[in-house]
Amino acid sequence: MNALLKFTQFVSKTFAVWVVLSALIAAQFPDTFKFFLGWIPYLLGIVMLGMGLTLTFKDFGEVSRNPKGAIIGVVAQFIVMPALAFLLVKLFDLPPDLAIGVILVGSCPGGTSSNVMTYLAKGNTALSVACTTISTLLAPILTPAVFYLFASQWLDIDAGAMFVSVLQMVLLPIFVGVIIRSIFKQKVENVSQVMPLISVIAIVLIVTAVVSVSKDRIIESGLLIFAIVVLHNALGYAVGYLVARLFKLPLSDSKAVSIEVGMQNSGLGAALAAIHFKANPLIAVPSAVFSFWHNISGPILAMIFNVMKEKKE
């Protein structure tokens, strides 16, 4: 078991490497990985189940202890990132498929890896977990609504169908995970420790599926996609931090909000694109690139924030 846990930690820390490697392999052998396209909703469900297994009802207590931080974090998540996405696609005059994809990933809730990054940054990890949990629980309503608000000018969006999809892929697996954890408790504790490994495998397979059906379009506009994703992510961190400081949150809370806002549940973006926009595979690509990039930028930001803490002390 110890060997498996060490391997899980290693894979989690080197997640970005596996995403890049798998994307390169999928680009070379696209026919092999197209099979996983239909499995994307189930793969995301596995990731969300893993999140549910790590939660307890006590985790929601941080909301009552720190309501200001939690409200600012969640509100910023669903305002800052979609608004930044919209501004970027307008500023760079992106083609419709790419514009929709950037706005879609910007409309998603916070990613679970933000909790780890906040811990490494010596931020308020409890607040980060609370923000991730609340934004994820609100995602069935807010993700389709925000996406419709910013992207409906490019295509017809069935917000109701998207609501059902997010409910099935996100809320239901999390709820099942929390219930299993509350019933089996200690037995689940051991299993939950290896869930990050399973989650990494699931995300990697999602990325390979996206790359396999979008290879030509990625080659055509790959540098542009990458530049937009890097800008979107960096601005999310910066604006999230500034908003937190503007509302006079403590430094540790501001770190948590910054990371929470900047890191997205890109797996959800890819899954929604695969389900609702099958005719436009490029829409899923910004989510796939975001999945890789924020696992590189997150540790870098955590290192910077860590130094800021030391200076204060």
Side-chain angles (χ1 to χ4, degrees):
M1 187 66 182
N2 287 335
L4 182 59
L5 290 177
K6 287 181 179 179
F7 181 67
T8 298
Q9 292 172 358
F10 169 73
V11 171
S12 299
K13 289 178 181 178
T14 55
F15 175 54
V17 175
W18 303 115
V19 171
V20 173
L21 187 61
S22 63
L24 292 173
I25 294 173
Q28 292 298 316
F29 308 99
D31 292 337
T32 303
F33 295 94
K34 286 179 182 177
F35 166 79
F36 294 108
L37 195 65
W39 285 84
I40 286 180
Y42 306 104
L43 291 169
L44 180 65
I46 291 171
V47 176
M48 292 297 99
L49 177 66
M51 178 182 175
L53 289 174
T54 64
L55 295 175
T56 65
F57 291 106
K58 291 181 181 178
D59 291 324
F60 297 93
E62 181 63 20
V63 180
S64 60
R65 289 190 296 271
N66 189 2
K68 182 180 177 181
I71 291 170
I72 291 172
V74 173
V75 171
Q77 175 70 57
F78 285 109
I79 292 179
V80 171
M81 288 305 272
L84 285 174
F86 184 77
L87 289 174
L88 286 171
V89 302
K90 287 294 186 180
L91 181 64
F92 288 91
D93 194 23
L94 298 183
D97 288 359
L98 191 51
I100 295 162
V102 172
I103 292 173
L104 179 58
V105 72
S107 303
C108 291
T112 54
S113 52
S114 62
N115 309 148
V116 178
M117 295 305 123
T118 301
Y119 172 76
L120 295 175
K122 294 184 179 178
N124 188 339
T125 308
L127 174 60
S128 177
V129 172
C131 288
T132 301
T133 305
I134 295 169
S135 67
T136 303
L137 294 178
L138 291 174
I141 296 173
L142 294 185
T143 292
V146 171
F147 181 60
Y148 179 85
L149 176 66
F150 286 103
S152 57
Q153 62 180 284
W154 284 286
L155 80 171
D156 293 327
I157 298 170
D158 189 342
M162 195 171 283
F163 165 78
V164 174
S165 294
V166 180
L167 204 65
Q168 292 172 337
M169 293 186 296
V170 175
L171 210 57
L172 182 59
I174 288 177
F175 179 72
V176 170
V178 171
I179 295 299
I180 292 174
R181 168 92 182 233
S182 64
I183 294 174
F184 296 99
K185 296 179 182 175
Q186 191 57 45
K187 292 179 180 179
V188 173
E189 187 69 32
N190 296 328
V191 176
S192 65
Q193 292 181 55
V194 297
M195 280 307 294
L197 174 61
I198 298 172
S199 296
V200 168
I201 293 171
I203 293 294
V204 162
L205 291 176
I206 290 174
V207 171
T208 60
V210 171
V211 171
S212 68
V213 297
S214 313
K215 176 185 173 182
D216 294 337
R217 298 296 299 277
I218 292 173
I219 293 172
E220 181 183 331
S221 55
L223 188 59
L224 178 61
I225 295 174
F226 184 74
I228 294 296
V229 166
V230 170
L231 268 175
H232 192 196
N233 178 231
L235 288 171
Y237 290 143
V239 176
Y241 181 79
L242 290 174
V243 167
R245 298 305 278 174
L246 182 66
F247 283 94
K248 302 187 185 302
L249 291 184
L251 181 60
S252 62
D253 289 8
S254 299
K255 292 176 181 180
V257 170
S258 171
I259 295 172
E260 193 64 33
V261 171
M263 300 188 81
Q264 300 294 91
N265 187 341
S266 47
L268 175 60
L272 289 173
I275 293 171
H276 296 281
F277 312 112
K278 293 178 182 178
N280 307 89
L282 189 65
I283 293 176
V285 173
S287 294
V289 176
F290 208 108
S291 181
F292 147 69
W293 174 248
H294 76 182
N295 284 284
I296 293 177
S297 65
I300 294 172
L301 182 65
M303 182 175 63
I304 295 170
F305 276 161
N306 197 296
V307 172
M308 288 173 63
K309 179 68 173 180
E310 289 171 358
K311 284 182 178 178
K312 186 182 178 184
E313 290 175 348

